Amino acid sequence: MDHVVLEQFPLFKDLSPEDRQALAENFVERTFNEGDVIVHEEDTDYTLFLLKEGRVKISIVGDDEREVVLSYLEPGDFFGEMSVLDGEPRSARATAVARTIALVGTREQFLERLKDNPTIALNLLVLLSRRLRAADEQIESLSFLDVQGRVARHLLEVAEREGKEVDAGKVIPMEMTRQELANVVSTSRETLTRVLKGFERIKLIKLLRDKILIIDEARLRKKTL
């Protein structure tokens, strides 16, 4: 595999072409169809996945098949690192929600590269710290905010990362389906739709085909307080 493939991954952004090439040789490319479960809870394969194309849902599924969505991953993200680092079984399920191509590497090979190249280890620590902060914020939202507050906080987070300023406000992409967004904010699709339409009715947002226009960011932020 050519080292250029690894340039899209922040985990390896500071590596030299030579180091990336050595690392690329440890990964193989695999394709998953929409709906494929890539890893199950309690799996013990201990491989690292780099998401090259597609989209992956990370979730926990209870004995009653009720699902709690932890996050959605996009190209450039990685998953499976916890089992790679501690050698314990998988703690969550990873499911392809679109046709997905991932680069897959073994635990032994990746740990050897970590020992040889502390830059990868440092980047990994930074990225894991960001994930922990995001998890803390998600726990806080679920614990202290009602549905309106959780939806508002999610829209504001997307706006901060990906929003584009326009004359009427700030436009954000809505790549998730309504059901996916409902899963993220832990509510039903019907309740999510009511909340979004309620925000639109009082002119906080405007719902577009595959985007949302945030009209009044200050008032929307008050929903999170």
Side-chain angles (χ1 to χ4, degrees):
M1 182 183 300
D2 193 281
H3 72 89
V4 175
V5 176
L6 297 184
E7 291 182 354
Q8 68 173 297
F9 297 97
L11 184 58
F12 310 122
K13 65 182 177 67
D14 299 316
L15 299 186
S16 68
E18 294 76 18
D19 286 338
R20 273 200 298 268
Q21 184 59 52
L23 187 64
E25 293 169 0
N26 297 148
F27 287 89
V28 296
E29 191 171 283
R30 289 183 59 191
T31 300
F32 303 91
N33 295 319
E34 181 179 352
D36 285 352
V37 178
I38 301 171
V39 298
H40 289 85
E41 303 94 323
E42 303 303 324
D43 277 355
T44 56
D45 61 338
Y46 307 133
T47 45
L48 178 70
F49 295 83
L50 309 175
L51 185 52
K52 180 183 176 185
E53 296 178 19
R55 202 151 174 263
V56 171
K57 174 178 64 177
I58 306 298
S59 65
I60 298 173
V61 180
D63 294 336
D64 59 356
E65 293 303 309
R66 192 162 58 91
E67 183 179 44
V68 176
V69 176
L70 303 178
S71 63
Y72 286 91
L73 303 182
E74 308 289 346
D77 286 328
F78 59 90
F79 60 98
E81 76 288 343
M82 290 174 61
S83 292
V84 167
L85 292 173
D86 64 15
E88 295 294 326
R90 305 290 189 187
S91 60
R93 180 177 300 186
T95 306
V97 296
R99 184 178 180 276
T100 292
I101 299 175
L103 311 180
V104 185
T106 67
R107 177 176 191 250
E108 293 76 14
Q109 290 170 325
F110 185 68
L111 290 180
E112 281 300 314
R113 291 300 174 189
L114 280 182
K115 293 174 185 176
D116 295 341
N117 199 317
T119 299
I120 302 175
L122 181 58
N123 288 345
L124 181 60
L125 286 172
V126 171
L127 293 169
L128 290 180
S129 295
R130 290 176 184 170
R131 288 188 177 182
L132 283 173
R133 288 181 185 276
D136 287 345
E137 291 173 359
Q138 185 176 22
I139 292 169
E140 180 187 3
S141 291
L142 293 175
S143 301
F144 300 112
L145 296 178
D146 59 13
V147 177
Q148 287 194 0
R150 296 198 297 272
V151 174
R153 172 172 283 187
H154 180 79
L155 296 180
L156 291 167
E157 287 172 350
V158 176
E160 184 175 350
R161 293 194 310 269
E162 306 174 49
K164 291 182 172 55
E165 297 283 353
V166 296
D167 290 342
K170 186 178 288 186
V171 172
I172 61 174
M174 271 291 108
E175 297 176 349
M176 293 183 187
T177 66
R178 289 285 176 90
Q179 185 59 62
E180 288 172 347
L181 179 52
N183 290 342
V184 168
V185 298
S186 295
T187 192
S188 68
R189 186 179 185 279
E190 294 75 17
T191 299
L192 171 69
T193 297
R194 285 198 299 271
V195 170
L196 290 175
K197 289 189 176 299
F199 286 173
E200 186 172 45
R201 188 169 55 254
I202 60 176
K203 301 188 184 322
L204 298 183
I205 66 172
K206 183 175 179 58
L207 300 173
L208 306 174
R209 182 176 179 183
D210 56 354
K211 299 179 179 65
I212 291 179
L213 172 64
I214 297 179
I215 300 171
D216 195 329
E217 188 171 341
R219 286 173 59 216
L220 184 64
R221 195 171 299 280
K222 288 181 180 178
K223 297 290 184 181
T224 69
L225 301 178

